[in-house]
Structure formats: C-alpha cells, structure tokens
C-alpha cells in the first residue's frame, strides 16, 4: 500500500457532549463530499456515447466505435472489483479525488486521436481512442468503492437504504450534465479551438470542458470527505446510533487482508452471485438504452448535438425521483426486501422499452419513453448496490460491491450493451436490438427472484433479534 493512500490512524474518542454536537455535522459534510465527488466521476465517464454520432460523419463506423465504447466498461468492471479491495484498505478522502483527477486527464486526451490521426489513419485512431477510454474507465472505477466505504462507516444499516437512494442520485446529476455540457461546451468554446471547422466542436463539449469541471469537483471533494468516524475522534456509527446489524462484530472495524475479504466474505456468498448475474442484465438495459440513445435518435429523428444532449439529460434526470421513490418503497413498503422492488421496477422498464421501440417515429413518445426508462432503471441499479453492502461486513463492502459491479460492467455493459448491441444495431437493425433489451429485463427479474426466499429469511431473522 502506498503510504499516502493508507487510512488515517484512529484518534482518541472525544467527550460525549462534543460527539453529540459534532457527529451530525460531520455526517452531512462527508455525505456532501461523496455526493459531489461521485457526480464528478459521471461528468467524465460516458462522454464517448455523446461523441459517437459526430464521429460517424468522420468515417468511423458503429462496429468500430462499439469496441472503443466497450473498453470503458471493461476497464471499469475490472477496476471496480480490484480497486474495491484497495479502497477497503485506503483513505477514502485521498482515493476518490485521485481517481477523479486521473479520469479527467485521460478524458482530455480523447481529443488527440481524432486530431492526430483522423479517418486517414483510422486503425491508429481507434487503437488510441480505445486505450484512452480504457484509462477513463479504469480511473472511474476508483469512485464507487471509497463512497461505499464512507457510507458503511458513517451510516448504519437501518438508515442505509434511504441514504443510499439519495446518494445514488449523484451519478444521475453528473450524468445528466454530460448532455448540456456537450452542447454548450461546443457552442461556447468550440470556435476558440477550431475556428471555422465546426465538425470538431463536439470534442470540446464532450471531452475538454467536462474534464476541467471534474478536476475542480475533485478538489472540492477532498476538502469535504473524511475516512472514518474513528479517524475524527468519534465512536463507530453502530455505537453512536445503537444500530448493530446481525453480521456486525468488533472485527468489522479492522482492516482485513485481501485473502480474508475475497475468500471469507465475498466469493463464497451465494446471494451475492445471484444479484451479480441479475446486475449484468440490469446494466445491459441501462447502458444499452443510454449509450446508443444519441445514435438512435440521430438516425430515426435527425437529432443534432443539442437535441440529443437534452434527451440524454432527460433520461438521467428522470432517474433522480425514480431512485428516491424506489429506495422509499424498498424500505417502507417492502420493509427492506430489495428483490421484489427490483423485479417490479424492471417490469415497468420493459414496458417503456416496448413503447420506445414501437413508436420510434414519434418524437414525443420516444422522449417520454426515455424518461420512463430512466425513471425506473436506476432504482434497481441502486438497490443491487445496497444489497451488496448489506450482505458483507463493512470492511469488505468495497469488494462485495465490486463483484456485482464487475458483472454489471464487464458482462452487462462491455460485452452485451456495447459490443453485442453495437454489432446487432449495425448489421441486423434496431428491431432485434430492442427485443434483446426486453429479454434482458425478463432475465434480470428471474435472477432477482432467486434471492427472494433467502432475503426474506434474513429479514425475518433480523426482526426476531
């Protein structure tokens, strides 16, 4: 472990009156830190999706661009899993901003392959774009695990569903900004860099402008985040709120070895594997719709960068109330049962995908369908993350979430949503693409219901304690 990443030492616990007056303020501060910080990651995450429709007129094909697109998800999947283990043994205050700054710098350089090689040397341009998008994905993988670490150390299990649903909106805030940033970054600053070459303006809006904003966000996150309550002189959150989960022990406060994390608490957990597989299909739907929306809308509706950007915004922004409602339903209506809530929401996603497909010639229904998909898809994304945190001790939380994230991003996003859908859309058309997305909704529901019985048992056991 690099010395500057090591977790800060625990301080002596401060007097009880100071704990009462300060603990709440620190909890709000670190929550804002991980919310703002994680939103920053999504400002420099899936920008290539916005760039793709404007790379095609420069003689780059969908099948070629789908390979570049997939590199981001492959890297993110590996990084979220492997860096999750590093994060469990690192200072979240340093780990998160470091990842965001490195992701931003990688995003800036996405301009270089088009500028340096262009379509005249297409192979080199594709290789360089793929390598840079891989780095963007890898460094983005340093975002979720430290947030999971902070969440499990500063917020107890009984409040985590609601708090996670609020925090989870961060990626929708960041993701929603990508569309307007792409549009207005190109309009405001494109001429400064490219003069009359308007075909290149999109690179300023999709790459350079968001990267500069994200670096500022990283610095702000560093000022707000703190690693653990004990490093600030507070007691553990379980002691503070008198909220001790079934799997809590004093060892939950210790830093575990990599072997203990993987083989004792993560890889032998059957329910984690079920939700990981379900997550692959949820992410196929999430990014199958999101990543290809600009291309689909440009082809079927003739959307320009501004119209596509606002449609992208609508998809992401609709997720905010949807995620909050999903978290509330999970906690209050189904009393912590994540599987049944996820299944209901995925069924509604399938309905809106059907409408998106069947009324693709109607701009109003297409936009409303995107809003509906965005509203319902992010609740299941959030709940699967909550389940992963619930099923492992908090000092293995990053790795548990990393396993589900690996399936979501490697299999669901990179393989299915990016490569498979890219080739199917290019060679077989959009009809088969939409059938695949509806099938993914059904499979996600099937695997989530495999966890229903065990989850219900665990909830019953907790109530009987």
């Amino acid at each position: 472990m690099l010395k500057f990443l090591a977790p800060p030492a625990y301080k002596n616990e401060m007097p009880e009156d100071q704990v009462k007056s300060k603990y709440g303020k620190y909890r709000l501060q670190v929550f804002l830190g991980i919310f703002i910080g994680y939103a920053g990651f999504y400002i420099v995450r899936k920008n290539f999706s916005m760039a793709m429709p404007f790379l095609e007129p420069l003689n780059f094909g969908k099948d070629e661009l789908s390979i570049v697109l997939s590199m981001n998800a492959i890297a993110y999947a590996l990084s979220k899993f492997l860096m999750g283990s590093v994060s469990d043994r690192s200072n979240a205050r340093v780990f998160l901003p470091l990842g965001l700054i490195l992701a931003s710098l990688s995003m800036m350089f996405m301009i270089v392959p088009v500028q340096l090689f262009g379509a005249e040397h297409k192979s080199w341009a594709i290789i360089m774009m793929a390598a840079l998008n891989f780095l963007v994905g890898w460094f983005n993988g340093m975002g979720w695990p430290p947030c999971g670490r902070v969440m499990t150390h500063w917020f107890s299990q009984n409040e985590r569903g609601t708090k996670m649903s609020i925090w989870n909106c961060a990626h929708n805030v960041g993701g929603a900004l990508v569309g307007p940033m792409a549009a207005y970054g190109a309009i405001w600053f494109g001429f400064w860099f490219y003069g009359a070459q308007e075909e290149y303006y999109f690179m300023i809006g999709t790459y350079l402008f968001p990267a500069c904003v994200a670096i500022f966000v990283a610095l702000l996150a560093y000022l707000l985040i703190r690693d653990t309550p004990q490093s600030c002189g507070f007691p553990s959150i379980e002691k503070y709120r008198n909220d001790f989960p079934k799997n809590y022990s004093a060892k939950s406060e210790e830093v575990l070895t990599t072997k203990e994390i993987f083989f004792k608490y993560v890889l032998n957990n059957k329910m984690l594997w079920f939700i990981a597989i379900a997550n692959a299909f949820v992410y196929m739907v999430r990014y199958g719709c999101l990543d290809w929306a600009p291309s689909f809308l440009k082809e079927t509706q003739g959307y320009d960068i501004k119209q596509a950007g606002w449609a992208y915004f609508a998809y992401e922004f609709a997720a905010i109330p949807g995620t909050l409602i999903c978290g509330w339903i999970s906690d209050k209506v189904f009393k912590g049962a994540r599987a049944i809530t996820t299944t209901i929401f995925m069924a509604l996603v399938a309905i809106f995908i059907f409408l998106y497909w069947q009324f693709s010639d109607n701009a109003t229904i297409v936009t409303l369908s995107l809003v509906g998909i965005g509203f319902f898809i992010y609740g299941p994304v959030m709940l699967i993350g909550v389940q992963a945190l619930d099923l492992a001790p908090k000092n293995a939380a990053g790795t548990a979430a990393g396993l589900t994230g690996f399936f979501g991003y490697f299999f669901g996003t990179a393989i299915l949503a990016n490569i498979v859908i890219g080739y199917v859309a290019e060679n077989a058309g959009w009809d088969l693409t939409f059938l695949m997305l509806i099938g993914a909704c059904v499979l996600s529901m099937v695997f989530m219901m495999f966890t229903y019985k065990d989850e219900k048992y665990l909830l019953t056991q907790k109530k009987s304690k």
Side-chain angles (χ1 to χ4, degrees), residues 17-156:
D17 59 331
Q18 291 186 41
V19 170
K20 288 181 179 179
S21 64
K22 295 181 178 181
Y23 212 131
K25 294 176 183 178
Y26 269 73
R27 275 166 34 102
L28 177 60
Q29 176 184 314
V30 298
F31 184 85
L32 288 173
I34 61 172
F35 188 96
I36 294 168
Y38 199 57
F41 277 97
Y42 273 79
I43 293 173
V44 285
R45 175 73 181 283
K46 302 296 288 183
N47 308 52
F48 191 73
S49 301
M50 281 301 305
M52 284 195 302
F54 307 97
L55 286 167
E56 288 184 49
L58 300 177
N59 295 319
F60 293 98
K62 283 191 190 72
D63 48 356
E64 296 165 325
L65 296 176
S66 71
I67 299 297
V68 178
L69 186 64
S70 71
M71 290 298 103
N72 183 285
I74 290 170
Y76 186 83
L78 294 169
S79 178
K80 189 174 180 181
F81 190 35
L82 298 175
M83 299 304 278
S85 175
V86 178
S87 174
D88 283 330
R89 297 175 287 116
S90 299
N91 183 351
R93 186 187 187 191
V94 176
F95 196 85
L96 185 148
L98 176 64
L100 182 50
I101 289 172
L102 292 173
S104 301
L105 294 175
S106 301
M107 181 61 72
M108 283 185 184
F109 279 91
M110 288 291 286
I111 293 172
V112 174
V114 179
Q115 190 73 49
L116 184 64
F117 298 114
E120 296 81 10
H121 304 283
K122 188 188 292 187
S123 297
W124 285 109
I126 291 293
I127 290 170
M128 192 170 181
M129 280 193 281
L132 285 167
N133 213 24
F134 184 93
L135 290 176
V136 170
W138 183 270
F139 294 130
N140 259 278
M142 295 172 68
W144 206 106
C147 291
R149 175 178 171 83
V150 168
M151 188 64 69
T152 54
H153 279 278
W154 286 90
F155 300 93
S156 63

Side-chain angles (χ1 to χ4, degrees), residues 8-30 153-155 224-241 248 253 394:
Y10 287 1
K11 294 181 180 178
N12 293 330
E13 194 171 311
M14 64 181 67
E16 188 174 347
D17 59 331
Q18 291 186 41
V19 170
K20 288 181 179 179
S21 64
K22 295 181 178 181
Y23 212 131
K25 294 176 183 178
Y26 269 73
R27 275 166 34 102
L28 177 60
Q29 176 184 314
V30 298
H153 279 278
W154 286 90
F155 300 93
L224 293 171
I225 294 171
R226 298 295 183 271
D227 188 55
T228 63
Q230 295 93 325
S231 68
C232 299
F234 295 118
S236 72
I237 189 61
E238 289 79 11
K239 180 180 176 182
Y240 174 70
R241 298 190 79 244
Y248 180 83
E253 305 299 338
K394 63 184 183 180

Side-chain angles (χ1 to χ4, degrees), residues 88-293:
D88 283 330
R89 297 175 287 116
S90 299
N91 183 351
R93 186 187 187 191
V94 176
F95 196 85
L96 185 148
L98 176 64
L100 182 50
I101 289 172
L102 292 173
S104 301
L105 294 175
S106 301
M107 181 61 72
M108 283 185 184
F109 279 91
M110 288 291 286
I111 293 172
V112 174
V114 179
Q115 190 73 49
L116 184 64
F117 298 114
E120 296 81 10
H121 304 283
K122 188 188 292 187
S123 297
W124 285 109
I126 291 293
I127 290 170
M128 192 170 181
M129 280 193 281
L132 285 167
N133 213 24
F134 184 93
L135 290 176
V136 170
W138 183 270
F139 294 130
N140 259 278
M142 295 172 68
W144 206 106
C147 291
R149 175 178 171 83
V150 168
M151 188 64 69
T152 54
H153 279 278
W154 286 90
F155 300 93
S156 63
Q157 192 174 67
N158 282 341
E159 62 179 342
R160 205 174 292 151
T162 302
K163 292 293 192 297
M164 281 286 291
S165 68
I166 298 171
W167 168 78
N168 202 66
C169 295
H171 70 253
N172 302 119
V173 173
L177 291 174
V178 170
M181 277 186 174
Y184 291 103
I187 292 168
W188 293 339
F189 306 113
F191 183 80
W192 290 11
F193 292 87
Y194 292 109
Q197 294 179 293
E198 294 184 12
E199 68 272 21
Y200 294 124
Y201 284 13
F202 75 93
M203 292 194 293
I204 304 304
T206 54
Y207 300 143
L208 184 60
F209 180 47
C212 292
V213 174
I215 289 173
F216 172 77
V217 171
L219 299 176
L220 187 59
Y222 177 80
L223 294 175
L224 293 171
I225 294 171
R226 298 295 183 271
D227 188 55
T228 63
Q230 295 93 325
S231 68
C232 299
F234 295 118
S236 72
I237 189 61
E238 289 79 11
K239 180 180 176 182
Y240 174 70
R241 298 190 79 244
N242 192 28
D243 181 10
F244 294 90
K246 183 181 177 183
N247 62 355
Y248 180 83
S249 69
K251 193 172 177 62
S252 297
E253 305 299 338
E254 299 175 6
V255 177
L256 299 175
T257 66
T258 302
K259 183 178 180 180
E260 284 180 304
I261 290 171
F262 278 100
F263 295 102
K264 189 173 182 180
Y265 295 109
V266 174
L267 296 180
N268 64 348
N269 191 321
K270 179 182 70 173
M271 286 183 66
L272 269 178
W273 285 101
F274 281 137
I275 65 173
I277 296 170
N279 204 35
F281 293 112
V282 169
Y283 271 69
M284 178 185 176
V285 176
R286 175 188 177 185
Y287 284 116
C289 292
L290 182 65
D291 285 345
W292 294 102

Side-chain angles (χ1 to χ4, degrees), residues 271-342:
M271 286 183 66
L272 269 178
W273 285 101
F274 281 137
I275 65 173
I277 296 170
N279 204 35
F281 293 112
V282 169
Y283 271 69
M284 178 185 176
V285 176
R286 175 188 177 185
Y287 284 116
C289 292
L290 182 65
D291 285 345
W292 294 102
S295 296
F296 178 73
L297 293 173
K298 190 172 187 292
E299 285 187 19
T300 61
Q301 297 293 329
Y303 279 25
D304 59 22
I305 189 170
K306 189 173 180 180
Q307 292 170 309
W310 282 110
Y312 200 99
F313 173 88
Y315 178 95
E316 289 280 4
F317 194 78
I320 295 174
T323 302
L324 294 173
I325 290 170
C326 185
W328 183 86
I329 290 173
S330 172
D331 279 350
K332 304 299 182 183
V333 178
F334 294 111
K335 309 301 180 185
R338 319 299 184 191
I340 188 67
T341 314
T342 297

